[in-house]
Amino acid sequence: MKLYRSELNTLIKWMQKPQRKPLVIRGARQVGKSTLVSQLAHVTNRFCLVLNFERNPELKDFFTDKDPKKIIENLSIYSKKNLDPNITLLFLDEIQAVPQVLEILRYFYEEYPEFPVVAAGSLLDFVLEKPEFSIPVGRIEYFYMGPLAFEDFLIALGEKSLVKWIKSVSVKDTIPPPIHQQCIDLIKQFWLIGGMPEVVAHFAKYRDFQEIDNIKQNILQTYRDDFHKYGRIKQIPLLRQIFNTIPRLVGQKIKYSNIDLHSKSTQVRDGLEALNLAGIIHLVMHTKANGIPLGAQVDPRVFKAIFLDIGLQCAALGLNQLDIIKGPDWAWINRGSLAEQFVGQSLLKLASSYHPPHIFYWMRENAQAKAEVDYVIQIQNQIIPVEVKAGKTGTLKSLHYFIREKERPFAVRFNADMPSYLQTTVKLTNNEGSISYGLLSLPFYLAEQLERLIKVKEEL
């Protein structure tokens, strides 16, 4: 089954550039990189010549010559195809197996920019971080991929009209309760199923929860099997421990002792960085959030983590459809962890695919007034705190501390309730005065519409 991917529109625009840079797609294994390139070739009516260097490492010999036109000429002979730049797409798959080929891409930009070249690699980040590797800076573009977005998941299930409604609904609109409940039920499905393409495609075709759990377990095992490729052989047992522990630590500040009491903190940190490089987890860094960019005020010692995909998180936690879909709304253990995972996964989708996936949160460890805001995002020149509540209610004490301390006039809350926007004044405790701010409250199913709906401030 072919899945719609919203990222395809960005790649089509790249293809339409008259002088494009070679594109390098980065992302974890099995997020659909190769399939997306195949779809790109199909919709642009191009023949896609695929060179898989993990399967056929000898193909690197075509790139010993640094003349891109000579490379294409030799590949034309090899493939018995006329590799015309107007009707061909060259796809270099699993390029991390032969990193020297990546360095040759600079010559395609400098001497043959009209020929479209896409490269991809699941563990490419380990190659790029090596000091001996010469990155062709300014001669290639990076494109970052993750699992399917929630809205793409809905399209796979045949809910195109619902997606159209989600993309147009306003906070001012009155939402019929049955539609709201329908969306909440689909959110619960997505939390269980996730966005891994193989899982979504199988569920969309067969609606078999048992089989998709088997598929998710196989994907998790594939990631474990990759650990020996990270170049840190001695760390494999620790990597397994971190990999198995992170799904239950989502939403919590990472303490190395909670992962492994017997390993040094530097070893645990190295393991976390390795899984982050592989794209299996995303580190959520603490920022002081005093100004933009948020990454300029990161404390590298303080961070949380989210998993690659919420469906894989559920599989790792042993949750099934009886825990989530068949139970009463939001009445299961780990619901706060899943809510924070889903929102974090959705916020990563807000950034351009050309930007590295960074995500931040804020905390204050004051003995008298501890506070933590789940996420802090930057949209245009605004710094916006984001709170996540698994149900329909929950206090916003930490959010109020942030607003007072950072003097921010606007905040966002995600929960299971109807959308709303409220300009409110809150009296703080302990004679700390009061604050006034605008609170945009959104149900989870509108998470990917956040940037559009933030404009409600000007509309109301």
Side-chain angles (χ1 to χ4, degrees), residues 349-361:
K349 292 286 185 183
L350 296 182
S352 166
S353 297
Y354 291 112
H355 295 161
H358 295 309
I359 191 166
F360 306 96
Y361 83 114

Side-chain angles (χ1 to χ4, degrees), residues 317-331:
L317 291 172
L319 297 176
N320 57 42
Q321 73 272 23
L322 293 177
D323 297 313
I324 296 180
I325 293 177
K326 302 296 183 183
D329 278 355
W330 321 107

Side-chain angles (χ1 to χ4, degrees), residues 183-252:
C183 291
I184 291 297
D185 290 343
L186 287 165
I187 277 287
K188 291 167 71 175
Q189 273 197 16
F190 182 74
W191 287 18
L192 174 64
I193 297 162
M196 300 303 287
E198 184 183 1
V199 178
V200 175
H202 191 280
F203 181 78
K205 187 173 183 179
Y206 299 106
R207 309 295 167 123
D208 184 343
F209 282 101
Q210 181 58 51
E211 184 56 31
I212 66 164
D213 187 63
N214 295 337
I215 295 171
K216 287 188 289 182
Q217 293 297 339
N218 288 335
I219 293 173
L220 292 172
Q221 188 56 50
T222 298
Y223 290 150
R224 296 185 187 98
D225 293 342
D226 272 347
F227 290 164
H228 74 280
K229 300 177 182 179
Y230 289 7
R232 296 172 168 89
I233 302 300
K234 294 179 181 179
Q235 286 192 7
I236 288 180
L238 180 57
L239 282 170
R240 291 197 189 102
Q241 178 67 18
I242 298 170
F243 180 82
N244 294 334
T245 304
I246 287 298
R248 63 176 173 81
L249 295 182
V250 169
Q252 302 177 34

Side-chain angles (χ1 to χ4, degrees), residues 172-183:
K172 297 184 297 182
D173 296 339
T174 299
I175 299 177
I179 293 180
H180 174 77
Q181 187 59 47
Q182 179 187 16
C183 291

